[in-house]
Short mmCIF file of all heavy atoms in Angstrom, two decimals:
data_model
loop_
_atom_site.label_atom_id
_atom_site.label_comp_id
_atom_site.label_asym_id
_atom_site.label_seq_id
_atom_site.Cartn_x
_atom_site.Cartn_y
_atom_site.Cartn_z
N LEU A 1 105.39 97.60 -9.69
CA LEU A 1 105.20 96.55 -8.68
C LEU A 1 104.65 95.30 -9.36
O LEU A 1 103.58 95.34 -9.99
CB LEU A 1 104.23 97.04 -7.60
CG LEU A 1 104.17 96.21 -6.32
CD1 LEU A 1 105.52 96.25 -5.60
CD2 LEU A 1 103.08 96.73 -5.40
N THR A 2 105.37 94.20 -9.21
CA THR A 2 104.99 92.95 -9.89
C THR A 2 104.53 91.90 -8.88
O THR A 2 104.70 92.04 -7.68
CB THR A 2 106.18 92.41 -10.69
OG1 THR A 2 107.21 92.02 -9.76
CG2 THR A 2 106.74 93.46 -11.64
N ARG A 3 103.95 90.82 -9.42
CA ARG A 3 103.54 89.71 -8.57
C ARG A 3 104.75 89.11 -7.84
O ARG A 3 104.64 88.68 -6.69
CB ARG A 3 102.84 88.63 -9.41
CG ARG A 3 102.36 87.42 -8.59
CD ARG A 3 101.54 86.49 -9.44
NE ARG A 3 100.29 87.12 -9.86
CZ ARG A 3 99.19 87.20 -9.08
NH1 ARG A 3 99.22 86.70 -7.86
NH2 ARG A 3 98.11 87.77 -9.54
N ARG A 4 105.89 89.12 -8.50
CA ARG A 4 107.11 88.60 -7.86
C ARG A 4 107.44 89.42 -6.61
O ARG A 4 107.84 88.85 -5.58
CB ARG A 4 108.27 88.64 -8.86
CG ARG A 4 109.60 88.16 -8.27
CD ARG A 4 110.65 88.10 -9.37
NE ARG A 4 110.85 89.40 -10.01
CZ ARG A 4 111.63 90.36 -9.50
NH1 ARG A 4 112.30 90.15 -8.37
NH2 ARG A 4 111.76 91.51 -10.14
N HIS A 5 107.26 90.73 -6.68
CA HIS A 5 107.50 91.57 -5.51
C HIS A 5 106.53 91.23 -4.38
O HIS A 5 106.92 91.15 -3.21
CB HIS A 5 107.33 93.05 -5.88
CG HIS A 5 108.38 93.57 -6.80
ND1 HIS A 5 108.09 94.37 -7.89
CD2 HIS A 5 109.73 93.40 -6.81
CE1 HIS A 5 109.21 94.69 -8.50
NE2 HIS A 5 110.22 94.10 -7.88
N LEU A 6 105.27 91.02 -4.73
CA LEU A 6 104.25 90.76 -3.71
C LEU A 6 104.45 89.40 -3.04
O LEU A 6 104.08 89.22 -1.88
CB LEU A 6 102.86 90.83 -4.33
CG LEU A 6 102.47 92.16 -4.99
CD1 LEU A 6 101.04 92.09 -5.53
CD2 LEU A 6 102.61 93.31 -4.00
N GLU A 7 105.04 88.46 -3.77
CA GLU A 7 105.21 87.10 -3.24
C GLU A 7 106.56 86.91 -2.57
O GLU A 7 106.78 85.88 -1.90
CB GLU A 7 105.04 86.08 -4.37
CG GLU A 7 103.61 86.04 -4.92
CD GLU A 7 103.47 85.12 -6.11
OE1 GLU A 7 104.53 84.67 -6.64
OE2 GLU A 7 102.32 84.84 -6.53
N SER A 8 107.47 87.87 -2.73
CA SER A 8 108.80 87.76 -2.13
C SER A 8 108.74 88.30 -0.70
O SER A 8 108.50 89.49 -0.46
CB SER A 8 109.81 88.57 -2.96
OG SER A 8 111.09 88.51 -2.38
N ASP A 9 108.98 87.43 0.27
CA ASP A 9 108.82 87.81 1.67
C ASP A 9 109.87 88.84 2.10
O ASP A 9 111.01 88.82 1.65
CB ASP A 9 108.94 86.57 2.57
CG ASP A 9 108.65 86.89 4.02
OD1 ASP A 9 107.70 87.65 4.29
OD2 ASP A 9 109.39 86.40 4.90
N GLY A 10 109.45 89.73 2.97
CA GLY A 10 110.34 90.75 3.52
C GLY A 10 109.66 91.41 4.71
O GLY A 10 108.45 91.26 4.92
N ARG A 11 110.43 92.16 5.49
CA ARG A 11 109.91 92.77 6.71
C ARG A 11 108.72 93.70 6.45
O ARG A 11 107.84 93.87 7.29
CB ARG A 11 111.01 93.54 7.44
CG ARG A 11 112.15 92.69 7.93
CD ARG A 11 113.32 93.53 8.40
NE ARG A 11 112.96 94.38 9.53
CZ ARG A 11 113.17 95.69 9.59
NH1 ARG A 11 113.69 96.33 8.55
NH2 ARG A 11 112.83 96.38 10.66
N PHE A 12 108.70 94.34 5.27
CA PHE A 12 107.66 95.30 4.96
C PHE A 12 106.62 94.75 3.98
O PHE A 12 105.77 95.50 3.52
CB PHE A 12 108.29 96.59 4.40
CG PHE A 12 109.01 97.39 5.44
CD1 PHE A 12 110.35 97.14 5.73
CD2 PHE A 12 108.36 98.37 6.16
CE1 PHE A 12 111.02 97.87 6.70
CE2 PHE A 12 109.02 99.10 7.14
CZ PHE A 12 110.36 98.85 7.41
N ASN A 13 106.70 93.45 3.71
CA ASN A 13 105.73 92.87 2.78
C ASN A 13 104.47 92.47 3.54
O ASN A 13 104.41 91.42 4.18
CB ASN A 13 106.32 91.66 2.06
CG ASN A 13 105.44 91.20 0.91
OD1 ASN A 13 104.23 91.45 0.89
ND2 ASN A 13 106.04 90.55 -0.07
N THR A 14 103.46 93.31 3.45
CA THR A 14 102.20 93.08 4.18
C THR A 14 101.30 92.10 3.44
O THR A 14 100.17 91.85 3.87
CB THR A 14 101.46 94.41 4.39
OG1 THR A 14 101.35 95.10 3.12
CG2 THR A 14 102.19 95.29 5.39
N TYR A 15 101.79 91.55 2.31
CA TYR A 15 101.08 90.45 1.64
C TYR A 15 101.51 89.10 2.21
O TYR A 15 100.75 88.13 2.17
CB TYR A 15 101.35 90.47 0.13
CG TYR A 15 100.59 91.54 -0.61
CD1 TYR A 15 101.05 92.84 -0.65
CD2 TYR A 15 99.39 91.25 -1.27
CE1 TYR A 15 100.36 93.84 -1.33
CE2 TYR A 15 98.69 92.24 -1.96
CZ TYR A 15 99.18 93.53 -1.98
OH TYR A 15 98.48 94.51 -2.65
N THR A 16 102.75 89.03 2.71
CA THR A 16 103.25 87.76 3.23
C THR A 16 103.30 87.74 4.76
O THR A 16 103.44 86.67 5.35
CB THR A 16 104.67 87.49 2.70
OG1 THR A 16 105.56 88.53 3.13
CG2 THR A 16 104.67 87.42 1.17
N ARG A 17 103.21 88.91 5.39
CA ARG A 17 103.31 88.98 6.85
C ARG A 17 102.07 89.65 7.45
O ARG A 17 101.50 90.56 6.86
CB ARG A 17 104.56 89.73 7.28
CG ARG A 17 105.83 89.07 6.78
CD ARG A 17 107.05 89.52 7.52
NE ARG A 17 108.25 88.89 7.00
CZ ARG A 17 109.43 88.89 7.62
NH1 ARG A 17 109.56 89.52 8.80
NH2 ARG A 17 110.47 88.30 7.09
N GLU A 18 101.70 89.18 8.63
CA GLU A 18 100.52 89.72 9.29
C GLU A 18 100.86 90.97 10.10
O GLU A 18 102.01 91.19 10.47
CB GLU A 18 99.91 88.65 10.21
CG GLU A 18 99.43 87.42 9.47
CD GLU A 18 98.89 86.36 10.41
OE1 GLU A 18 98.96 86.57 11.65
OE2 GLU A 18 98.40 85.32 9.93
N GLY A 19 99.85 91.76 10.35
CA GLY A 19 100.01 92.92 11.21
C GLY A 19 100.66 94.10 10.51
O GLY A 19 100.82 94.14 9.29
N LEU A 20 101.07 95.06 11.31
CA LEU A 20 101.69 96.27 10.81
C LEU A 20 103.14 96.02 10.42
O LEU A 20 103.78 95.13 10.97
CB LEU A 20 101.64 97.36 11.88
CG LEU A 20 100.26 97.88 12.28
CD1 LEU A 20 100.35 98.65 13.60
CD2 LEU A 20 99.66 98.75 11.18
N PRO A 21 103.69 96.81 9.50
CA PRO A 21 105.14 96.72 9.23
C PRO A 21 105.92 97.17 10.47
O PRO A 21 105.35 97.77 11.39
CB PRO A 21 105.33 97.68 8.05
CG PRO A 21 104.14 98.57 8.05
CD PRO A 21 103.02 97.79 8.62
N PRO A 22 107.21 96.90 10.53
CA PRO A 22 107.98 97.16 11.75
C PRO A 22 108.20 98.64 12.08
O PRO A 22 108.41 98.99 13.24
CB PRO A 22 109.32 96.46 11.49
CG PRO A 22 109.40 96.37 10.01
CD PRO A 22 108.02 96.19 9.51
N THR A 23 108.16 99.51 11.08
CA THR A 23 108.33 100.95 11.29
C THR A 23 107.35 101.68 10.38
O THR A 23 106.78 101.09 9.45
CB THR A 23 109.76 101.43 10.96
OG1 THR A 23 109.92 101.45 9.53
CG2 THR A 23 110.82 100.54 11.59
N PRO A 24 107.16 102.97 10.61
CA PRO A 24 106.41 103.76 9.61
C PRO A 24 107.11 103.68 8.25
O PRO A 24 108.30 103.38 8.16
CB PRO A 24 106.46 105.18 10.18
CG PRO A 24 106.69 105.00 11.66
CD PRO A 24 107.57 103.80 11.77
N ILE A 25 106.36 103.99 7.21
CA ILE A 25 106.95 103.98 5.86
C ILE A 25 107.02 105.40 5.30
O ILE A 25 107.50 105.59 4.18
CB ILE A 25 106.15 103.08 4.90
CG1 ILE A 25 104.72 103.61 4.73
CG2 ILE A 25 106.15 101.64 5.40
CD1 ILE A 25 103.94 102.91 3.61
N ALA A 26 106.55 106.38 6.06
CA ALA A 26 106.55 107.77 5.61
C ALA A 26 106.22 108.66 6.80
O ALA A 26 105.94 108.17 7.90
CB ALA A 26 105.53 107.97 4.49
N MET A 27 106.23 109.96 6.56
CA MET A 27 105.89 110.92 7.61
C MET A 27 104.43 111.33 7.44
O MET A 27 104.09 112.06 6.51
CB MET A 27 106.80 112.14 7.53
CG MET A 27 108.26 111.77 7.73
SD MET A 27 109.36 113.15 7.44
CE MET A 27 110.87 112.25 7.07
N PRO A 28 103.56 110.89 8.33
CA PRO A 28 102.14 111.24 8.21
C PRO A 28 101.87 112.63 8.74
O PRO A 28 102.49 113.09 9.70
CB PRO A 28 101.45 110.18 9.07
CG PRO A 28 102.47 109.84 10.12
CD PRO A 28 103.81 109.95 9.44
N GLY A 29 100.92 113.32 8.12
CA GLY A 29 100.50 114.63 8.60
C GLY A 29 99.43 114.52 9.66
O GLY A 29 98.99 113.42 10.04
N GLN A 30 98.97 115.68 10.13
CA GLN A 30 97.97 115.72 11.19
C GLN A 30 96.69 115.01 10.79
O GLN A 30 96.08 114.29 11.59
CB GLN A 30 97.66 117.18 11.55
CG GLN A 30 96.73 117.36 12.74
CD GLN A 30 97.37 116.89 14.05
OE1 GLN A 30 98.52 117.21 14.33
NE2 GLN A 30 96.63 116.13 14.83
N ALA A 31 96.24 115.18 9.55
CA ALA A 31 94.98 114.58 9.10
C ALA A 31 95.07 113.05 9.11
O ALA A 31 94.11 112.37 9.48
CB ALA A 31 94.62 115.09 7.72
N ALA A 32 96.21 112.51 8.69
CA ALA A 32 96.38 111.05 8.69
C ALA A 32 96.44 110.51 10.11
O ALA A 32 95.92 109.42 10.40
CB ALA A 32 97.64 110.67 7.91
N LEU A 33 97.10 111.25 11.01
CA LEU A 33 97.12 110.84 12.42
C LEU A 33 95.71 110.78 12.99
O LEU A 33 95.33 109.81 13.65
CB LEU A 33 97.97 111.82 13.25
CG LEU A 33 99.49 111.74 13.13
CD1 LEU A 33 100.12 112.90 13.89
CD2 LEU A 33 100.00 110.41 13.66
N TYR A 34 94.94 111.82 12.71
CA TYR A 34 93.57 111.87 13.24
C TYR A 34 92.72 110.75 12.66
O TYR A 34 92.00 110.05 13.39
CB TYR A 34 92.93 113.22 12.93
CG TYR A 34 91.55 113.37 13.53
CD1 TYR A 34 91.37 113.81 14.84
CD2 TYR A 34 90.41 113.02 12.79
CE1 TYR A 34 90.11 113.91 15.41
CE2 TYR A 34 89.15 113.12 13.34
CZ TYR A 34 89.00 113.57 14.64
OH TYR A 34 87.75 113.65 15.20
N ALA A 35 92.78 110.56 11.34
CA ALA A 35 91.96 109.53 10.69
C ALA A 35 92.30 108.14 11.21
O ALA A 35 91.41 107.30 11.40
CB ALA A 35 92.15 109.59 9.18
N SER A 36 93.57 107.88 11.47
CA SER A 36 93.99 106.56 11.93
C SER A 36 93.50 106.26 13.34
O SER A 36 93.26 105.10 13.69
CB SER A 36 95.52 106.47 11.89
OG SER A 36 95.99 106.66 10.57
N LEU A 37 93.33 107.29 14.15
CA LEU A 37 92.88 107.10 15.52
C LEU A 37 91.40 107.43 15.69
O LEU A 37 90.84 107.27 16.78
CB LEU A 37 93.73 107.95 16.47
CG LEU A 37 95.18 107.45 16.56
CD1 LEU A 37 96.06 108.46 17.29
CD2 LEU A 37 95.24 106.09 17.25
N HIS A 38 90.76 107.88 14.59
CA HIS A 38 89.31 108.10 14.57
C HIS A 38 88.77 107.61 13.23
O HIS A 38 88.21 108.38 12.45
CB HIS A 38 88.97 109.58 14.76
CG HIS A 38 89.43 110.15 16.07
ND1 HIS A 38 90.70 110.63 16.26
CD2 HIS A 38 88.77 110.29 17.25
CE1 HIS A 38 90.81 111.06 17.50
NE2 HIS A 38 89.67 110.85 18.13
N PRO A 39 88.94 106.31 12.93
CA PRO A 39 88.51 105.81 11.62
C PRO A 39 86.98 105.84 11.49
O PRO A 39 86.26 105.82 12.50
CB PRO A 39 89.03 104.37 11.62
CG PRO A 39 89.08 103.99 13.08
CD PRO A 39 89.47 105.25 13.80
N ALA A 40 86.53 105.89 10.25
CA ALA A 40 85.10 105.77 10.01
C ALA A 40 84.64 104.38 10.41
O ALA A 40 85.41 103.42 10.39
CB ALA A 40 84.81 106.04 8.54
N THR A 41 83.38 104.25 10.79
CA THR A 41 82.79 102.95 11.10
C THR A 41 82.19 102.40 9.82
O THR A 41 81.15 102.88 9.34
CB THR A 41 81.73 103.07 12.20
OG1 THR A 41 82.32 103.63 13.37
CG2 THR A 41 81.15 101.70 12.52
N THR A 42 82.84 101.41 9.22
CA THR A 42 82.39 100.84 7.95
C THR A 42 82.56 99.33 7.98
O THR A 42 83.32 98.80 8.81
CB THR A 42 83.21 101.39 6.76
OG1 THR A 42 84.50 100.75 6.74
CG2 THR A 42 83.39 102.90 6.84
#
């Protein structure tokens, strides 16, 4: 992954676009689902 990749705009480039990407990028397991909806307070 290079700086050129990070600066090149695209639908999944979270460096150039705000918010979440348009779709999931992988299949999350139960632990990731739970952590995302019960994040630590930090």
Side-chain angles (χ1 to χ4, degrees):
L1 194 64
T2 66
R3 180 173 294 279
R4 179 174 58 82
H5 291 136
L6 301 181
E7 293 175 349
S8 179
D9 186 41
R11 296 169 62 232
F12 288 87
N13 191 336
T14 51
Y15 283 83
T16 61
R17 300 198 181 194
E18 297 178 356
L20 295 164
T23 75
I25 63 170
M27 299 173 203
Q30 186 67 45
L33 284 173
Y34 183 86
S36 300
L37 292 169
H38 299 85
T41 301
T42 76

